[in-house]
Amino acid sequence: MERACAEPELRPPPFALRPLSAALGAEIIGVDLSAEIDDYTFAQIRDAWHQNLVILLRDQELSEEDQVRFAEKFGPPAVIHTKQFVRNHPAVMLISNIREDGKLIGALPDGEMHFHTDQCHQQRPAMASMLYALEVPSTGGNTLFANGYAAYATLPDGMKRRIEGRKALNAYDYDSAAMKRGTRLAEGVPSYVHPVVRTHPATGRKALYVNRLMTVRIEGLPEPESNELLATLFDHQERREFVYEHVWRPGDLLMWDNRCTLHARTDFSPNERRLMRRVTILGEKPV
Ligand code: SIN
């Protein structure tokens, strides 16, 4: 069932919203991102994103410039370090398993990925990530999104007290093997310590901010206790009732909020092509 978006003024709603799941997410219906959008429409889109954590706009025909123009309305794009996966616009990186002349054209090429949040190994992780689907496999390669607010809110009180004020080390310690959880830090691996629970600057809500792929340890705890606590938190935050599974169609533009969601990917055949364009938007230091 569709519901109209919130309408504070006497203007017709600029689009309709359709919930994607009980966990999170909404489809925005009636906006063409290849054209300029006015400030009022953008403010409504941003509100919908804050309320729903993930927004989806289907059947979009977007150039790289169109995608970046929309992304820049939320803030400056994050710098891309893997320059070999940039084709044209410096803010756009390809995510793909396609090889040309034996070389991969995109990052994160193969199959399944553990839950994570983008750039949590940096001082200022990505606020948002935006994927635009160009080619998708016939089955699999779905992206899973978990609601970090719900994960925090449903923790038992004793667990909330155990993690209150704690910080955790997050590291970028994987390449294409995004199912390999790092537990020890190799020399030179980029890493950063962030709060285990962060407060979203726009909504004021608390979200659990650890993840199976990149969170290495909770600071100040003996290693066995840190491992046990993290395993419990990972299992909790990945519970199915907190998760929306997105089945991609070419033309989908989907944007998620890394400050209150985690994402993962399901497996897909290496014999089928998958091609996405990604833009990430620089965020603030988590508090
Ligand atoms: C990502 O983790 O940014 C990529 C997710 C995907 O390929 O579905």
Side-chain angles (χ1 to χ4, degrees), residues 95 108 113 116 118 131 141-143 248 256 263-265 274 276 278:
I95 304 288
L108 307 175
M113 292 180 71
H116 61 285
D118 290 332
L131 280 185
N142 303 334
T143 309
W248 292 95
W256 62 90
H263 58 284
R265 188 172 68 195
R274 189 174 189 272
M276 308 271 175
R278 187 172 98 163

Side-chain angles (χ1 to χ4, degrees), residues 130-189:
M130 185 185 278
L131 280 185
Y132 176 59
L134 291 163
E135 294 184 58
V136 300
S138 57
T139 177
N142 303 334
T143 309
L144 306 165
F145 296 96
N147 185 329
Y149 294 141
Y152 176 73
T154 54
L155 284 174
D157 287 344
M159 180 61 88
K160 283 185 180 156
R161 280 195 295 275
R162 244 179 116 186
I163 60 176
E164 193 180 333
R166 291 258 170 222
K167 295 191 168 189
L169 180 71
N170 300 279
Y172 179 79
D173 194 11
Y174 63 92
D175 291 322
S176 58
M179 292 292 287
K180 178 178 86 66
R181 176 176 148 60
T183 49
R184 279 171 211 287
L185 271 194
E187 190 84 17
V189 164

Side-chain angles (χ1 to χ4, degrees), residues 16 65 72 78 84 87 93 109 150 235 239 255 259 275 281:
E65 286 70 26
E72 281 178 335
Q84 69 272 31
R87 272 288 163 94
M93 179 170 93
D235 289 347
R239 273 163 45 183
M255 188 172 102
R259 300 166 295 186
L275 176 60
I281 301 157

Side-chain angles (χ1 to χ4, degrees), residues 5 9 11-15 28 30-33 35-48 57 70 73-74:
C5 65
E9 295 176 22
R11 283 183 62 169
F15 51 78
I28 291 181
V31 176
D32 173 6
L33 296 177
E36 281 283 352
I37 51 174
D38 62 35
D39 291 348
Y40 174 71
T41 300
F42 174 68
Q44 299 289 310
I45 291 176
R46 192 175 45 203
D47 277 359
L57 293 98
F70 180 54
K73 287 186 171 291
F74 293 86

Side-chain angles (χ1 to χ4, degrees), residues 173-250:
D173 194 11
Y174 63 92
D175 291 322
S176 58
M179 292 292 287
K180 178 178 86 66
R181 176 176 148 60
T183 49
R184 279 171 211 287
L185 271 194
E187 190 84 17
V189 164
S191 63
Y192 209 87
V193 171
H194 290 301
V196 169
V197 179
R198 69 179 292 183
T199 304
H200 194 290
T203 66
R205 298 178 68 192
K206 287 183 175 183
L208 193 55
Y209 194 64
V210 290
N211 66 81
R212 196 180 292 277
L213 184 61
M214 297 172 78
T215 306
V216 176
R217 63 165 177 267
I218 298 185
E219 300 281 285
L221 293 182
E223 191 175 320
E225 189 181 346
S226 165
N227 287 343
E228 173 267 312
L229 187 51
L230 282 176
T232 305
L233 294 173
F234 298 153
D235 289 347
H236 175 78
Q237 69 188 163
E238 295 173 11
R239 273 163 45 183
R240 202 62 210 184
E241 67 261 38
F242 304 142
V243 172
Y244 163 63
E245 178 166 355
H246 185 63
V247 180
W248 292 95
R249 297 197 323 220

